[in-house]
């Protein structure tokens, strides 16, 4: 078992796979931060009594000045560009990871922790510590490593393990807090009813499907069993590539179900980003790059230099 | 396994232990979390703290999160919940929301604001019983000096 785990962990991977994860997951995190720019900045205007620091922000005794909050968000976006394009990686990688952790934690320090963001921040942190800019980057534009190597595979396995462990923790918490009654009781039905009610009474959109399903409580125990199977079963798929990919499909389906029933968007798994480390995502990305290279400007072929 | 891969194995194992640590001390945080959402037993009772706008005809409707100073519905919920715990905070929130409503052309029909907690039976709610079983108004204020 140990030998098999060691072989799995030390299996070589091409530098392009790790680079593809840097580009895709880094760009997703950057877009997320940019799309949440107003939210990330607006917390500076909230009254001090709402400040409940989480994560690294717990180091602070009081909120930061508003101008510093804005400056850190802007710096995050600037560092994020360096992260995605792989420019001065040894600086831009860790700086983006640390700043992203900080600004997201700071936004979560005002009474509401968004559990949809944990995995994104963790993945960016792991990538920042890796050689994710050894290919397909500004730093590697002159020389890129084309030989698959364990030093590119190992960080990818860590990304996979981090994904699986976060699901396991979610499942474990359900069993620890409610026991197997979480499956057999009306707990899930009541959650769906409560969450949609809360949205309706807070002036937000709610799921009509979830509201309708609540009238048929018998539908929920199988769904509860499926979600616990996905969560608690996560660590057991780690050594089987096909099983792991099947698990990804099941976990993705689980999030689609959550969205359909409760209108909760877990953007990171729903877009497949949480599961990207399980796949050879450099292949489709290489095809995209090849396609982009083949697109010649309109003036080419008319005697102009291209 | 070369030295760098071994370092990743050790670092990865340490990261897993770190991720599991919140399960030991039982406190949720970020990015290390117990992922507590939907994990506790829940009955049908729903207690919702929210901010409601009342029109001149007496009808009431929950206000959108932007009027509470956030784009996020869950953050708006938390803001209202925190305010409901303290009369002065509820009054402050009421005044801030009233100022935003007063400055918004889209909300010209709203004449007063209430920071309130309403209780419902969640299952009955989706079977048509929308009236709260219990209500508690923490703060009430008018918009732009309207009565």
């Amino acid at each position: 078992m140990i030998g098999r785990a060691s072989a799995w962990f030390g299996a070589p991977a091409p530098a392009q796979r790790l680079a593809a994860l840097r580009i895709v997951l880094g760009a997703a995190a950057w877009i997320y931060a940019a799309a949440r720019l107003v939210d990330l900045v607006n917390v500076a205007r909230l009254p001090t009594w709402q400040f409940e620091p989480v994560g690294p922000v717990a180091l602070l005794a009081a909120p930061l000045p508003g101008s510093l909050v804005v400056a850190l968000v802007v710096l995050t976006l600037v560092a994020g560009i360096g992260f995605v394009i792989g420019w001065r990686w040894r600086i831009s990688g860790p700086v983006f990871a640390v700043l992203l952790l900080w600004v997201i934690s700071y936004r979560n320090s005002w009474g509401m922790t968004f559990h949809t963001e944990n995995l994104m921040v963790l993945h960016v942190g792991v990538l920042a510590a890796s050689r994710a800019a050894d290919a397909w980057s500004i730093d590697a534009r002159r020389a890129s490593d084309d030989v698959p190597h364990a030093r590119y595979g190992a960080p990818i396995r860590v990304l996979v393990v981090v994904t699986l462990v976060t699901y396991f923790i979610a499942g474990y918490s359900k069993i620890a807090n409610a026991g197997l009654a979480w499956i057999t009781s009306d707990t899930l039905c009541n959650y769906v009813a409560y969450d949609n009610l809360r949205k309706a009474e807070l002036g937000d959109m709610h799921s009509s499907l979830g509201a309708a399903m609540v009238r048929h409580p018998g539908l929920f125990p199988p769904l509860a069993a499926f979600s616990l199977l996905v969560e608690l079963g996560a660590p057991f798929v780690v050594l089987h590539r096909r099983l792991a990919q099947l698990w990804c499909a099941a976990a993705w389906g689980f999030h689609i179900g959550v969205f359909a029933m409760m209108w909760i968007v877990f953007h990171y798994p729903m877009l497949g980003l949480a599961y990207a480390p399980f796949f050879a995502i450099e292949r489709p990305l290489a095809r995209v790059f090849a396609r982009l290279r083949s697109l010649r400007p309109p003036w080419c072929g008319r005697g102009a230099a291209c | 396994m070369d030295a760098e891969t071994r370092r990743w194995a050790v670092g990865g194992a340490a990261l897993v232990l770190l991720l599991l640590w919140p399960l030991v001390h039982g406190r949720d945080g970020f990015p290390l979390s117990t992922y507590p959402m939907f994990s506790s037993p829940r009955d049908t009772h729903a207690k919702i703290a929210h901010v409601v706008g009342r029109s001149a005809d007496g009808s009431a409707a929950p206000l959108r999160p932007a009027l509470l100073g956030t784009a996020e519905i869950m953050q708006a919920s938390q803001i209202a919940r925190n305010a409901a715990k303290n009369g002065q905070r509820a009054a402050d929130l009421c005044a801030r929301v009233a100022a935003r409503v007063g400055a918004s052309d889209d909300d010209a029909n709203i004449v007063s604001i209430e920071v309130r907690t309403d209780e419902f039976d969640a299952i009955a709610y989706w079977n048509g019983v929308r009236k709260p079983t219990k209500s508690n108004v923490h703060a009430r204020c008018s918009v732009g000096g309207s009565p």
Side-chain angles (χ1 to χ4, degrees), chain A residues 59-298:
Chain A
L59 295 170
L60 296 181
L64 294 173
S67 54
L68 188 52
V69 173
V70 175
L72 288 170
V73 172
V74 171
L75 267 177
T76 305
L77 293 177
V78 172
I81 294 169
F83 186 101
V84 175
I85 65 176
W87 180 68
R88 303 205 175 188
W89 176 249
R90 287 191 171 187
I91 298 167
S92 67
V95 167
F96 178 57
V98 169
L99 284 173
L100 185 73
L101 170 65
W102 180 268
V103 298
I104 299 278
S105 299
Y106 197 79
R107 199 278 291 256
N108 283 332
S109 294
W110 297 85
M112 179 67 207
T113 302
F114 292 89
H115 294 96
T116 49
E117 297 165 339
N118 300 48
L119 194 53
M120 176 183 78
V121 167
L122 291 166
H123 275 177
V124 167
V126 172
L127 283 167
S130 75
R131 296 172 180 260
D134 276 10
W136 289 348
S137 68
I138 300 292
D139 287 358
R141 64 190 182 280
R142 288 189 187 86
S144 124
D145 193 346
D146 287 335
V147 181
H149 198 283
R151 63 174 169 257
Y152 303 120
I156 297 172
R157 314 290 180 252
V158 173
L159 291 169
V160 165
V161 168
V162 166
T163 300
L164 295 172
V165 168
T166 56
Y167 278 86
F168 175 79
I169 295 170
Y172 180 89
S173 285
K174 291 183 180 82
I175 292 296
N177 291 334
L180 281 176
W182 197 86
I183 299 173
T184 55
S185 70
D186 289 334
T187 296
L188 183 58
C189 177
N190 292 343
Y191 266 118
V192 171
Y194 167 74
D195 197 70
N196 282 304
L197 182 158
R198 178 169 62 171
K199 289 189 171 81
E201 288 298 321
L202 288 167
D204 196 16
M205 286 175 70
H206 68 271
S207 161
S208 302
L209 175 68
M213 285 174 70
V214 163
R215 293 179 205 126
H216 308 282
L219 293 171
F220 289 92
L223 295 173
F226 172 72
S227 60
L228 264 186
L229 183 69
V230 168
E231 290 176 337
L232 292 175
F236 301 101
V237 305
V238 71
L239 298 180
H240 303 269
R241 195 171 65 88
R242 289 273 176 217
L243 197 58
Q245 291 178 349
L246 259 176
W247 177 87
C248 290
W252 182 79
F254 160 78
H255 286 289
I256 295 298
V258 169
F259 174 69
M261 289 193 296
M262 290 191 273
W263 221 246
I264 297 174
V265 178
F266 279 81
H267 75 281
Y268 202 68
M270 279 176 71
L271 292 172
L273 300 163
Y275 318 115
F278 292 78
F279 297 89
I281 67 158
E282 77 280 10
R283 291 174 193 160
L285 208 60
R287 281 198 288 275
V288 171
F289 289 154
R291 190 75 179 264
L292 288 174
R293 275 195 294 271
S294 73
L295 291 175
R296 295 161 70 85

Side-chain angles (χ1 to χ4, degrees), chain B residues 11-40:
Chain B
L15 182 57
V16 167
L17 291 176
L18 204 61
L19 289 170
L20 293 171
W21 178 242
L23 293 181
V24 177
H25 62 63
R27 277 197 307 276
D28 188 33
F30 186 89
L32 306 176
S33 174
T34 54
Y35 299 93
M37 59 283 190
F38 310 117
S39 69
S40 302

Side-chain angles (χ1 to χ4, degrees), chain B residues 121-139:
Chain B
D121 181 298
I123 300 295
Y125 185 93
W126 294 116
N127 281 293
V129 185
R130 300 291 166 94
K131 204 174 167 209
T133 53
K134 194 175 167 191
S135 293
N136 186 8
V137 178
H138 309 286

Side-chain angles (χ1 to χ4, degrees), chain B residues 5-6 29-30 34 39 43 45 64 69 71 74-75 77 80 86 89 92 96-97 102 109 120 130 134 146:
Chain B
T5 310
R6 272 199 300 276
F30 186 89
T34 54
S39 69
D43 59 18
H45 178 245
R64 61 185 185 281
M74 299 320 295
Q75 195 139 31
S77 167
N86 177 300
R89 289 176 184 178
D92 287 348
R96 277 190 286 129
V97 173
N109 60 322
F120 304 88
R130 300 291 166 94
K134 194 175 167 191
S146 58

